[in-house]
Each structure stands twice: as C-alpha cells, then as structure tokens.
C-alpha cells in the first residue's frame, strides 16, 4: 500500500479515494474507522491494529491535530512493542510512506478532518 495524497477530508490510497477515517495496513485498507470516544484514541479503537502487531503505528491526528492519544493508550501500545508516531495527518501520511520504503511493518490510522 502507498498513500498517494491527502487533503482535508480525503485520502487516496493506491489510487482509491477514501472520505472517512481509515486504517491503512501494508496489504489492505480498513475504511470507515470510528473511535469510541471521537477525538480520543482508545485501545478499543485499535483492536485490528494490535492483532496485526506492527513495528510502527503512524497516527494522523487530523488536519489541525484535534485527535489526541491518552498516555495510557500510548503506554499500552509501546509495552506491546509498537512504536507510536503521531503528527497532523498532512505530515503523518508522508511518514507512513517513508516507513513502508524502509521495510518496516507499519500501520497508519488516519483522522481525515479536524
């Protein structure tokens, strides 16, 4: 998987446009990703991600960075051996592509608005 582009409310992955929050795995896209607490990332929101056991989780916090990762969530991910990198989505999607090129087992979870 390669992310082609991102603009507010839209991300194109391998030529297919998505207009709702999504999780990008190296081999598939899980579209229509919804979080239990809206702009706060909980472990329950990442069941599919933790089951995949990536080396790195890239989190796109939204265009303005409105989504947050509580310290308890970050700690649980890191204790599971998952490096967490969070940035505004406009930067996060580019980091995702870089990590894929480096051969990392990476997953990206992207909030497309806010």
């Amino acid at each position: 998987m390669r992310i082609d582009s991102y603009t507010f409310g839209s991300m194109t992955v391998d030529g297919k446009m998505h207009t709702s929050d999504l999780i990008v795995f190296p081999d598939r896209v899980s579209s229509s990703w919804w979080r239990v607490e809206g702009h706060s990332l909980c472990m329950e929101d990442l069941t599919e991600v933790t089951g995949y056991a990536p080396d790195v989780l890239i989190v796109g916090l939204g265009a303005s960075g409105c989504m947050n990762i509580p310290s308890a969530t970050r700690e649980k991910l890191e204790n599971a051996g998952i490096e967490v990198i969070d940035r505004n989505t406009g930067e996060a999607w580019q980091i995702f592509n870089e990590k894929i090129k480096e051969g990392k087992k990476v997953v990206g979870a992207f909030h497309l608005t806010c």
Side-chain angles (χ1 to χ4, degrees):
M1 290 281 143
R2 175 174 166 67
I3 300 172
D4 303 317
S5 65
Y6 164 74
T7 58
F8 185 91
S10 174
M11 182 174 279
T12 302
V13 181
D14 283 346
K16 183 177 179 189
M17 182 185 291
H18 300 270
T19 56
S20 58
D21 294 356
L22 66 156
I23 300 176
V24 181
F25 295 87
D27 59 346
R28 69 187 185 286
V29 174
S30 179
S31 57
S32 300
W33 176 48
W34 192 251
R35 288 161 309 285
V36 174
E37 295 183 30
H39 285 115
S40 184
L41 189 61
C42 302
M43 288 304 295
E44 295 88 350
D45 306 326
L46 300 169
T47 304
E48 194 175 5
V49 172
T50 56
Y52 185 77
D55 298 322
V56 182
L57 172 62
I58 309 295
V59 180
L61 301 172
S64 302
C66 289
M67 192 170 76
N68 73 342
I69 304 172
S71 56
T73 299
R74 184 181 299 275
E75 187 175 311
K76 286 178 185 175
L77 290 165
E78 291 173 350
N79 286 343
I82 301 170
E83 177 186 2
V84 179
I85 299 172
D86 61 311
R87 300 283 191 285
N88 290 353
T89 302
E91 184 180 350
W93 73 273
Q94 296 172 346
I95 295 170
F96 175 88
N97 285 342
E98 290 170 12
K99 295 295 182 185
I100 289 286
K101 283 182 188 175
E102 292 173 8
K104 301 279 186 179
K105 186 177 180 184
V106 60
V107 171
F110 300 100
H111 180 48
L112 300 184
T113 58
C114 306

